[in-house]
Amino acid sequence: MKPQEMRIAIAEHLGWKNIYVRSGKDISRADKVHGVLAGKSGRVPDFPRDLNAMRVAEKVLTAEQCEDYDQTLLHMEPDTFDCEAGGWTFFRSACQRAEAFLRTIGKWK
């Protein structure tokens, strides 16, 4: 999935409605995706590029989903850190966490 698709899929899972991409020269820019959450409109968080946004998303997972999520992260290759001890999920990037999140909730394409 492309980062923008990941971003929209996670936002929808978290309850964002009426998500749209503003037209412009560069639609991949983070500030171009907007929607409505809890009655307020605004910019959709850039989950694949923002660890803080992914932390918010992770909080909605059930206990069972957390186990699946952790196992998915555990088996991913680290992005930039050479984990000789292996399997340290706290070294995963926002993009890897977004992918694991979407795999866990069954929305990965």
Side-chain angles (χ1 to χ4, degrees), residues 1 5 13 16 40 52 59 63 75 77 82 85 88 96 106 109:
M1 291 177 78
E5 295 170 317
H13 186 76
W16 284 82
K40 295 183 179 181
N52 292 322
K59 289 181 180 182
H75 293 93
E77 291 294 322
D82 181 18
W88 292 347
Q96 287 176 310
K109 296 179 187 174

Side-chain angles (χ1 to χ4, degrees), residues 1 11 23 27 48 64 72 81:
M1 291 177 78
S23 61
I27 64 169
E64 183 179 328
T72 302
F81 188 86

Side-chain angles (χ1 to χ4, degrees), residues 3 6 10 46-55 58 69 72-74 76-81 83 88-102 108:
M6 295 167 73
I10 294 171
D46 194 0
F47 299 103
R49 293 182 181 99
D50 185 346
L51 283 170
N52 292 322
M54 278 311 304
R55 180 64 190 123
E58 292 166 344
Y69 177 70
T72 302
L73 287 172
L74 185 66
M76 289 181 149
E77 291 294 322
D79 259 0
T80 57
F81 188 86
C83 285
W88 292 347
T89 60
F90 52 88
F91 287 119
R92 300 306 184 249
S93 68
C95 191
Q96 287 176 310
R97 289 168 185 266
E99 178 182 338
F101 183 89
L102 291 167
W108 180 256

Side-chain angles (χ1 to χ4, degrees), residues 20-75:
Y20 64 94
V21 179
R22 287 189 176 172
S23 61
K25 291 181 181 179
D26 182 10
I27 64 169
S28 65
R29 283 192 41 206
D31 61 348
K32 296 287 186 180
V33 181
H34 293 265
V36 178
L37 179 65
K40 295 183 179 181
S41 62
R43 185 180 69 83
V44 172
D46 194 0
F47 299 103
R49 293 182 181 99
D50 185 346
L51 283 170
N52 292 322
M54 278 311 304
R55 180 64 190 123
V56 171
E58 292 166 344
K59 289 181 180 182
V60 307
L61 296 174
T62 66
E64 183 179 328
Q65 287 174 323
C66 283
E67 290 178 28
D68 292 341
Y69 177 70
D70 188 55
Q71 285 302 307
T72 302
L73 287 172
L74 185 66
H75 293 93

